[in-house]
Structures are given as structure tokens and as C-alpha cells.
Amino acid sequence: MARDYLALLAPLQPRGPYRLAGSSFGGMLAFEAARQLLAAGEQVELLAMLDTPGPGDLPRDLADDAEVLSYIARILGRPLQASVLRALAPAAMLEHFVSALSERLPVDMTAADFAVYLAAFKLNTAAMRAYDPSPIDGLPSIAFFKARERDADTPAAPEQAWQRLLGAAALEVMELPGGHLSMLEAANIAPVADWLMSGLLRPQVT
């Protein structure tokens, strides 16, 4: 996936220095993209990861669609019991989920729309569990934004798994109010925006 993203990036910016950032699974993609760019001799001057679980320290595996939907509902702040969802037929389960979470989902999202999201979520989760990255070398530092609120579905210290892969690079950890998703809401995201803007406005080294 990172290789595909870099192929799309190349026509827009064929050479570095590059600035990369990603949230949750997106942070893992950003890390792998940075690793591939550095291996190709390019410069990566900014890498930010937002509450990205690391290899070997991922949330518990989810057994079926009912557990996946229950997990998504929890992190969206509208808990649904997996046992209740599991008692429904697949189509009815999605209808119930979308109805119960309507205030937290995009306007007019249907059960059919969410089925596409659910399939992508499961593929991304499988990719996270299969990812076995080699250490990265050539970065001055990585900014890791960590949600202050932890729960049973998220590792207590997600930054530690990445620290082991950094070599000489420093890991700058910054805590934000909120949980894995709510840290990205308007009331909490300002420190991330300020940090990213300072990096994006920094003159590039040529």
C-alpha cells in the first residue's frame, strides 16, 4: 500500500525532502513510506504518527463482524454489544449499526455505504497484523501524538513499539486530550495542526 501511495505521490513531488503524516493505520503507512523513501536515497525531513499502534502491540484481534462493529461503536462513543449484533442477520446488523450511530457517521450514510467501509477496515486490520517492518535509519526524529485516554482496545504505550525501530532517531511523544478518535476532534487537534504547520512552512533543504 505504501508503495502504491508513493507511486501516486511521485508525479506531484518526484524528489525529496518529503513530509509525511498519518493517523492510526495511516501512521503505519507513513512509516513504511518513509522507510522506502530513505532506502531509495531520498530525504524525509518530517514524519508524524498519530496514536499508531506498533508491531507486536496491536489491539486484540476481533473474532467476527459483530465484534468489529462493536469496537467501532465504542471508539465512536456509542457502545453496542457484540452479542446483540451477532443475533441479527448480516444486513440487519449493518442497518442496526448505522441507525444507532447515525449522529457519529457521515450524513446520509447507508448500510450499503458502511459495508464498503467495513470491508476496508477488515483489510487494513489484516495488513496491520501482517506488517513486520525493518528498522528505519536516516530520520532525525519522529513526532508521535498519543491520545491521553487509553482503554482495553488500545495499547497503553503505542509509541514503545516504534522506538525499537528507530535506531538513532529520536521519538518526540506528545499527549493530546481525548481518545483514539476524539483526539482528532476540533477541541483537541490544535497542537497537531500547529506542529504540522510549523513543519510544512519550514523552508525545504535542496
Side-chain angles (χ1 to χ4, degrees):
M1 291 176 72
R3 186 166 55 247
D4 289 344
Y5 278 124
L6 290 176
L8 294 171
L9 176 62
L12 302 174
Q13 185 180 338
R15 299 304 303 265
Y18 290 96
R19 292 123 175 210
L20 306 171
S23 174
S24 192
F25 176 55
M28 191 174 279
L29 286 172
F31 180 90
E32 175 59 22
R35 193 193 65 77
Q36 292 184 21
L37 288 167
L38 291 167
E42 293 290 351
Q43 182 184 3
V44 178
E45 66 176 11
L46 182 154
L47 175 59
M49 304 168 76
L50 282 68
D51 213 51
T52 297
D57 195 22
L58 298 173
R60 67 181 181 86
D61 205 1
L62 302 170
D64 56 17
D65 285 0
E67 284 203 0
V68 172
L69 292 174
S70 179
Y71 165 75
I72 295 171
R74 281 195 302 279
I75 63 175
L76 289 174
R78 297 288 190 276
L80 288 176
Q81 293 298 318
S83 58
V84 173
L85 294 167
R86 197 174 288 119
L88 302 172
M93 181 168 57
L94 285 173
E95 290 283 359
H96 180 74
F97 177 90
V98 170
S99 175
L101 275 292
S102 60
E103 294 180 3
R104 302 290 289 172
L105 297 176
V107 177
D108 298 328
M109 174 172 271
T110 67
D113 296 331
F114 197 83
V116 176
Y117 174 88
L118 178 62
F121 180 91
K122 289 158 64 177
L123 288 171
N124 289 347
T125 300
M128 289 181 74
R129 294 192 176 281
Y131 184 47
D132 184 21
S134 55
I136 199 168
D137 191 26
L139 280 172
S141 65
I142 293 178
F144 193 98
F145 294 92
K146 175 183 175 180
R148 188 170 297 152
E149 297 172 10
R150 315 308 299 176
D151 55 42
D153 294 309
T154 54
E159 71 279 8
Q160 290 180 359
W162 298 107
Q163 182 67 75
R164 295 191 289 268
L165 297 169
L166 297 188
L171 186 68
E172 180 184 3
V173 180
M174 291 159 276
E175 280 198 355
L176 297 180
H180 186 66
L181 287 186
S182 61
M183 65 178 277
L184 304 179
E185 294 177 353
N188 301 326
I189 198 64
V192 180
D194 291 343
W195 190 94
L196 291 176
M197 286 304 297
S198 68
L200 292 173
L201 294 174
R202 187 187 310 135
Q204 289 198 10
V205 178
T206 57

